[in-house]
Amino acid sequence: VKIKVLGSAAGGGLPQWNCSCANCAAARSGPNGRGVGVRPRTQTQVAVSIDDRIWTLLNCSPDLRAQIEATPELHSQSPNASRHSPITGAVLTSADIDCVLGLLHLREQQPLEIYSISRVREIIRDNSLFRMLEQKPEQSKWTVFEADGRFEIALNSANGGIACRALATGGDLPYYVERQSTSSNDGAVVGLILERKGTTNTKVAFLPGVREISDELLSELSQCDLLLMDGTFWSDDELIRIQGGGRTAREMGHIPVSGSDGSLERTRGLQRPKRVFIHMNNTNPMVNEQGPEYRQVRDAGWEIAADGMEFVI
Amino acid sequence: VKIKVLGSAAGGGLPQWNCSCANCAAARSGPNGRGVGVRPRTQTQVAVSIDDRIWTLLNCSPDLRAQIEATPELHSQSPNASRHSPITGAVLTSADIDCVLGLLHLREQQPLEIYSISRVREIIRDNSLFRMLEQKPEQSKWTVFEADGRFEIALNSANGGIACRALATGGDLPYYVERQSTSSNDGAVVGLILERKGTTNTKVAFLPGVREISDELLSELSQCDLLLMDGTFWSDDELIRIQGGGRTAREMGHIPVSGSDGSLERTRGLQRPKRVFIHMNNTNPMVNEQGPEYRQVRDAGWEIAADGMEFVI
């Protein structure tokens, strides 16, 4: 299984358009804006393949057009110059703008398989902008799964597919969605366990929004080979301290990295998986490679995802 | 008046994600994907300023986040690291996804003045995704103008504002908008005449979607200093020939560049304005700087916009 990280920041990206904090300023400095100490990062976007020919996206970020063009494997390559894309599907883990807006970069009448829980499908079906995905019959083919359900992706690959399992990982419906007083928001955000069965089983966890790491989730993670884990915030009150108000990291559905019940501490016993933080907010001090937080995370055996990273598992 | 071209392609950009035609393939080749003969272009986006301090966007393209980061003048520069942006407003010339999606790159609770005709305002107000622009009171402040109306932008600049006039230039409501059988779609797309009064009057026309150049419009353009003109298609049947069906350029609200009643021929008598084509579709042969169409356009005294171009008028 090949996993490409096309984007690794939380919503807004790093730098964020209206922010000039130390992280954002550092990410904008240096030759060609390549960053000094802090690498610029587009909004989180992952692509998965088993044959380098057919790719499935994990979420569809607002930066997707540039992310595709920065990734030669994802370029259109049709010998007869008609429309073509190696991207055949996208799994959505929530209805957040950061997760779904990129669907609109995939217009132009190209067929696409979309996978999500039913609530996310409804939100998108009910929003007129996404009619661009239904300009011709069967342009979008939707597979709905439960918040603890199973489904398969990349089935049209000559090498078979990838088995997926969804896990409800906390987190609410996004701000823009009208709350339905009669229904719970539980399961509005999921993580994914991707499994490729072969001579050896290969398991990858994609968890960009995790409120808590329960013992059950921890046991799940201990059997994975690669873990792409929620690295949004360093501390629970990070945004409150910076903005002077608002919600804690956990209230936003994100376990902080630091602290006695943070993700770093909770995962200390993990042996098997390669551990990579993804979805870093521009406020997270661990993106500064000259700082103590970065050192602490690396010393604990974690990597911090950057755009362009690739993992072959 | 300073005019920056942040993006110069039509919807989908050049290259377009699912296209590998000769133009798209050429735009993807060369060192660092800088293109050979065809320059890569993001989706049309213009920014205007009179003092280099406060900028108004003309439309909000789907590529806006990357376009802002590629333009140092538009970077957040707050001495006290709180939220700030030199971008204070955006004028929308239609409800097309290419014109409005970038509003969602401008979330994060930053105040923004938005200018549009009332139908475009309604479409955006009625779409839940754009609630992200109303997370706090007065985050978005809307100015509505008529399809032939006047308004002023960048009023908060120390140097005064820019007078704007809208012109209905043909073109329908976009595909995603439910048609209202009781009302006409006329005036769904406008062009803009920007005027800066000073010791000498300065006039700029921004016309990314023009169905016909009437004698009246021609007379208007003859008094401008800079003309950013619809360069979407080279010929009226361009998409039909390539896709084997669909609509003509004019049916889509775009006068073709070539032909006896195309924009090149219609504007042949213009003396005063600097003439620049913008909003080129990936199918337009004139983006190939090694081809005869490019030579024909340049010989007629026109430039073809590319990302990063700047005009000071």
Side-chain angles (χ1 to χ4, degrees):
Chain A
V1 180
K2 189 178 282 185
I3 314 275
K4 290 199 72 102
V5 175
L6 314 185
S8 49
L14 174 58
Q16 180 176 302
W17 78 287
N18 64 340
C19 187
S20 43
C21 71
N23 277 345
C24 286
R28 284 193 190 101
S29 35
N32 299 317
R34 275 193 225 108
V36 172
V38 176
R39 296 189 228 190
R41 288 169 166 92
T42 57
Q43 294 164 91
T44 293
Q45 179 64 56
V46 170
V48 180
S49 181
I50 44 181
D51 62 2
D52 276 358
R53 203 173 54 83
I54 285 176
W55 291 83
T56 299
L57 303 176
L58 306 185
N59 288 326
C60 288
S61 104
D63 296 318
L64 186 54
R65 184 181 171 271
Q67 291 167 332
I68 291 172
E69 290 308 326
T71 312
E73 295 93 321
L74 302 183
H75 290 176
S76 176
Q77 279 154 357
S78 171
N80 55 9
S82 65
R83 298 294 162 85
H84 159 267
S85 172
I87 298 167
T88 59
V91 188
L92 308 176
T93 66
S94 87
D96 279 359
I97 285 192
D98 325 339
C99 296
V100 305
L101 199 65
L103 283 171
L104 294 172
H105 285 297
L106 303 181
R107 60 200 196 285
E108 311 297 348
Q109 309 192 19
Q110 185 73 24
L112 191 70
E113 312 236 5
I114 310 174
Y115 310 80
S116 80
I117 61 169
S118 57
R119 188 74 186 94
V120 171
R121 181 186 180 167
E122 285 163 17
I123 290 166
I124 289 175
R125 187 194 54 203
D126 294 347
N127 193 296
S128 63
L129 278 175
F130 294 99
R131 281 184 203 149
M132 301 305 292
L133 301 174
E134 294 162 10
Q135 287 190 270
K136 63 178 195 184
E138 310 210 352
Q139 182 179 342
S140 310
K141 196 182 143 198
W142 216 292
T143 299
V144 168
F145 56 83
E146 301 300 313
D148 59 354
R150 292 168 187 272
F151 55 102
E152 216 156 329
I153 59 172
L155 281 171
N156 41 1
S157 160
N159 300 328
I162 297 175
C164 280
R165 196 146 39 86
L167 306 171
T169 51
D172 289 336
L173 288 174
Y175 178 85
Y176 74 85
V177 177
E178 200 84 67
R179 297 301 185 274
Q180 297 181 333
S181 55
T182 52
S183 72
S184 155
N185 290 335
D186 279 0
V189 177
V190 299
L192 300 172
I193 306 284
L194 310 182
E195 193 169 5
R196 168 81 174 148
K197 295 206 166 93
T199 46
T200 57
N201 275 11
T202 304
K203 257 180 157 177
V204 175
F206 176 63
L207 305 166
V210 176
R211 184 171 276 155
E212 291 299 344
I213 300 179
S214 65
D215 292 345
E216 194 187 349
L217 178 56
L218 200 57
S219 152
E220 190 77 59
L221 302 182
S222 70
Q223 299 161 47
C224 288
D225 302 285
L226 172 65
L227 172 49
L228 295 173
M229 178 72 187
D230 186 341
T232 314
F233 296 113
W234 178 256
S235 46
D236 201 36
D237 63 350
E238 190 166 317
L239 274 192
I240 294 174
R241 272 186 294 115
I242 286 168
Q243 300 181 340
R247 295 186 296 164
T248 66
R250 282 196 175 81
E251 283 168 356
M252 297 174 76
H254 298 290
I255 184 173
V257 170
S258 73
S260 60
D261 52 359
S263 55
L264 214 51
E265 198 53 42
R266 283 290 290 156
T267 58
R268 196 163 288 282
L270 287 183
Q271 300 289 327
R272 179 168 158 185
K274 182 175 186 68
R275 285 155 288 157
V276 182
F277 282 118
I278 195 166
H279 197 261
M280 278 69 69
N281 200 51
N282 67 320
T283 53
N284 190 328
M286 76 182 184
V287 297
N288 179 357
E289 298 178 17
Q290 293 155 357
E293 295 87 354
Y294 176 82
R295 185 46 43 213
Q296 187 181 338
V297 168
R298 301 287 283 139
D299 287 348
W302 284 79
E303 288 190 50
I304 300 177
D307 297 12
M309 276 190 179
E310 178 181 306
F311 303 97
V312 181
I313 306 286
Chain B
V1 180
K2 190 180 278 186
I3 315 274
K4 291 199 69 101
V5 175
L6 314 185
S8 48
L14 174 57
Q16 179 176 303
W17 77 287
N18 66 338
C19 188
S20 44
C21 71
N23 277 345
C24 287
R28 286 193 188 100
S29 34
N32 299 318
R34 275 193 227 110
V36 172
V38 176
R39 297 190 227 188
R41 288 168 166 93
T42 58
Q43 292 164 91
T44 292
Q45 179 65 57
V46 168
V48 180
S49 181
I50 43 182
D51 62 4
D52 276 358
R53 203 175 54 83
I54 284 176
W55 291 82
T56 300
L57 302 176
L58 306 185
N59 288 324
C60 287
S61 103
D63 296 319
L64 186 54
R65 182 180 174 274
Q67 290 166 334
I68 291 172
E69 290 308 325
T71 311
E73 294 95 321
L74 302 183
H75 290 175
S76 176
Q77 280 155 356
S78 172
N80 56 7
S82 66
R83 297 294 162 90
H84 159 266
S85 172
I87 298 168
T88 59
V91 187
L92 307 176
T93 65
S94 88
D96 279 359
I97 285 193
D98 324 340
C99 296
V100 305
L101 199 65
L103 283 170
L104 295 171
H105 284 297
L106 304 181
R107 57 200 199 285
E108 313 295 349
Q109 308 191 20
Q110 186 72 25
L112 191 69
E113 312 235 6
I114 310 175
Y115 310 80
S116 79
I117 60 169
S118 58
R119 188 73 187 92
V120 171
R121 182 188 179 165
E122 285 163 18
I123 291 166
I124 289 175
R125 186 193 57 202
D126 294 348
N127 193 298
S128 63
L129 278 174
F130 295 98
R131 281 184 203 148
M132 302 304 293
L133 300 175
E134 295 161 11
Q135 287 189 270
K136 65 178 193 185
E138 309 207 354
Q139 183 181 341
S140 310
K141 194 182 145 201
W142 216 291
T143 300
V144 169
F145 56 82
E146 300 300 313
D148 57 355
R150 291 167 188 273
F151 56 102
E152 217 157 329
I153 59 173
L155 281 171
N156 41 1
S157 160
N159 298 329
I162 298 175
C164 283
R165 196 147 38 87
L167 305 172
T169 51
D172 290 336
L173 289 173
Y175 178 85
Y176 73 87
V177 176
E178 200 84 66
R179 295 302 183 278
Q180 296 181 334
S181 54
T182 52
S183 72
S184 156
N185 289 334
D186 278 359
V189 176
V190 300
L192 301 172
I193 306 284
L194 310 182
E195 192 167 6
R196 168 81 174 147
K197 295 208 166 90
T199 46
T200 55
N201 274 11
T202 304
K203 257 181 158 178
V204 175
F206 176 63
L207 305 166
V210 176
R211 184 171 276 156
E212 290 301 343
I213 301 179
S214 65
D215 292 344
E216 194 187 348
L217 179 56
L218 200 58
S219 152
E220 189 79 61
L221 301 183
S222 70
Q223 299 161 49
C224 288
D225 302 286
L226 171 66
L227 171 51
L228 295 172
M229 177 72 188
D230 186 342
T232 314
F233 296 113
W234 180 255
S235 45
D236 200 37
D237 63 348
E238 188 167 317
L239 275 192
I240 295 175
R241 273 186 293 114
I242 285 166
Q243 300 180 341
R247 293 188 296 165
T248 65
R250 281 197 175 82
E251 282 168 358
M252 298 174 76
H254 298 291
I255 185 173
V257 171
S258 72
S260 59
D261 51 359
S263 54
L264 214 49
E265 198 53 42
R266 283 292 289 156
T267 59
R268 195 165 288 280
L270 287 183
Q271 301 287 329
R272 178 166 159 189
K274 184 175 182 69
R275 287 156 285 158
V276 182
F277 282 117
I278 197 167
H279 196 264
M280 278 67 71
N281 199 52
N282 68 320
T283 52
N284 190 329
M286 77 183 184
V287 298
N288 180 358
E289 299 179 17
Q290 294 155 356
E293 295 87 355
Y294 176 82
R295 188 40 47 209
Q296 187 181 338
V297 168
R298 300 287 282 137
D299 287 349
W302 284 78
E303 286 189 53
I304 299 177
D307 297 11
M309 274 188 180
E310 179 181 304
F311 303 97
V312 182
I313 307 286

